[in-house]
Amino acid sequence: TTPSPAPASNKRDLRSPICCILGHVDTGKTKLLDKIRQTNVQGGEAGGITQQIGATYFPIDAIKQKTAVMADYEKQTFDVPGLLVIDTPGHESFTNLRSRGSSLCNIAILVIDIMHGLEQQTIESIRLLRDRKAPFVVALNKIDRLYDWQATPNNSFRSSFEKQPRAVQQEFQTRLDGIKVALAEQGLNSELYFQNKNMAKYVSIVPTSAVTGEGVPDLLWLLLELTQKRMSKQLMYLSHIEATILEVKVVEGFGTTIDVILSNGYLREGDRIVLCGMNGPIVTTIRALLTPQPLRELRLKSEYVHHKEVKAALGVKIAANDLEKAVSGSRLLVVGPDDDEEEMMDDVMDDLTGLLDSVDTS
Ligand code: GDP
């Protein structure tokens, strides 16, 4: 079949967007991830949310349930199969995740504490995002800490905001205005996401509470909206793979393994792979593809489930020989029947310079 020139009309060919979270310490990155993961949708479970290697996967049905409260305000289309959120917050991981040639992380969430405004690592994060031309949204977190905030758990922001006493609404507005000015001082135009008429020029702000879950539906809605509408080209399924090494780890029974985010394509047991090593390129063969055992099955013997084949986007652990010197943040390539292995070895080693540079400067 010929590739479709119109990605939006070809829903089946889109893969899940990948999202990273960053911001100053204590702004609520971890808590926000936890809240997004929770399945406290009234009555029913938002099923199928799975813990992966270094990431959490949200199937589209779970997102549908979690964003249902948005129906009064926004239309939603669901063209992607799900959303993959990288679990490690913080900008060290993000530096790795946006290495040269890596297309990991389609969109980032920059978390700002509404009570504290911009802090040192917020500013560093903004620089990093800008340097790497990474699209992002701002989660203006801890709105429940505004004095006298009346919480409606897991509500959409606008619905909750309408219910607030005037004084709360005024305090919100004052703090929001202050933060918009501070962002402007960093060279960023910003706007509340539902008032943002120009998403390409203005960064969208989503007010959230990681404690009450308010604004979390808005955040998920916006992530889908931005990735589906503005990045569908990047989300097309590719036959060639795009994969990034998150971590190199020794695991009992498997030796040295690498944790990888597969952003596009497939990986198979027995694939010959090329990756960047501290002392030169590594060429090896995938012995095992592993994902964590679902929680309820933890009494089983192994901590991991083995796969013959995995499909993007997901986090997966790879066991293979000779991984001891693998460099996290670098790409992983699969040797196809017509590929020149030597050329690929040169390619992956190009990553090393970029990665060492970014370590030096951060
Ligand atoms: P991180 O360092 O950015 O990952 O921040 P954490 O998620 O660890 O949160 C730091 C502290 O802020 C913890 O005590 C959280 O319980 C608290 N916190 C996080 N989000 C919220 C929020 O939305 N509202 C309130 N009231 N507290 C929050």
Side-chain angles (χ1 to χ4, degrees), residues 167-183:
V168 176
Q169 294 184 345
Q170 275 164 357
E171 187 191 348
F172 172 82
Q173 194 60 51
T174 308
R175 290 188 183 274
L176 173 70
D177 289 344
I179 286 166
K180 281 164 71 173
V181 168
L183 286 170

Side-chain angles (χ1 to χ4, degrees), residues 80-298:
V80 293
L83 180 70
L84 188 71
V85 181
I86 305 288
D87 281 342
T88 12
H91 71 284
E92 297 86 353
S93 63
F94 186 80
T95 310
N96 283 347
L97 298 185
R98 292 286 302 189
S99 70
R100 248 188 80 190
S102 158
S103 59
L104 200 94
C105 195
N106 301 104
I107 192 156
I109 303 169
L110 172 64
V111 185
I112 298 177
D113 182 334
I114 191 169
M115 306 307 281
H116 292 170
L118 272 63
E119 298 171 271
Q120 191 204 330
Q121 286 161 283
T122 321
I123 293 169
E124 286 169 23
S125 301
I126 291 172
R127 285 208 192 107
L128 197 63
L129 289 161
R130 191 183 289 135
D131 283 355
R132 288 161 198 263
K133 300 192 170 54
F136 67 101
V137 301
V138 169
L140 195 53
N141 195 36
K142 307 199 185 182
I143 52 171
D144 63 290
R145 292 195 52 206
L146 294 170
Y147 179 75
D148 204 26
W149 179 267
Q150 312 290 312
T152 310
N154 303 310
N155 203 4
S156 69
F157 170 74
R158 271 170 283 180
S159 167
S160 273
F161 191 72
E162 284 160 14
K163 295 183 182 138
Q164 301 306 316
R166 260 204 86 75
V168 176
Q169 294 184 345
Q170 275 164 357
E171 187 191 348
F172 172 82
Q173 194 60 51
T174 308
R175 290 188 183 274
L176 173 70
D177 289 344
I179 286 166
K180 281 164 71 173
V181 168
L183 286 170
E185 283 165 3
Q186 298 301 316
L188 280 181
N189 293 317
S190 61
E191 194 54 88
L192 274 177
Y193 81 92
F194 50 88
Q195 292 168 356
N196 191 349
K197 300 274 188 290
N198 187 348
M199 299 261 185
K201 287 228 169 97
Y202 285 70
V203 173
S204 285
I205 300 175
V206 188
T208 59
S209 165
V211 167
T212 69
E214 287 162 300
V216 170
D218 308 58
L219 184 59
L220 286 170
W221 177 86
L222 184 65
L223 292 174
L224 275 199
E225 176 77 6
L226 288 173
T227 52
Q228 290 180 156
K229 293 238 167 93
R230 307 183 53 90
M231 299 172 200
S232 51
K233 267 216 183 96
Q234 279 154 268
L235 299 178
M236 289 295 281
Y237 248 114
L238 299 176
S239 52
H240 75 259
I241 75 144
E242 287 180 3
T244 311
I245 302 168
L246 279 187
E247 263 192 272
V248 185
K249 268 191 209 152
V250 178
V251 176
E252 213 185 300
F254 294 102
T256 303
T257 64
I258 48 174
D259 292 352
V260 166
I261 296 292
L262 178 65
S263 351
N264 218 332
Y266 292 81
L267 281 176
R268 297 179 181 91
E269 214 182 80
D271 272 350
R272 200 166 163 72
I273 54 174
V274 180
L275 49 145
C276 172
M278 281 313 278
N279 305 334
I282 301 168
V283 182
T284 182
T285 302
I286 297 181
R287 194 165 64 224
L289 286 168
L290 308 161
T291 58
Q293 202 68 253
L295 270 185
R296 65 193 136 76
E297 321 222 6
L298 267 181

Side-chain angles (χ1 to χ4, degrees), residues 24-31 141-142 144-145 209-211:
H24 195 79
V25 65
D26 278 351
T27 49
K29 299 181 291 295
T30 311
K31 191 110 184 148
N141 195 36
K142 307 199 185 182
D144 63 290
R145 292 195 52 206
S209 165
V211 167

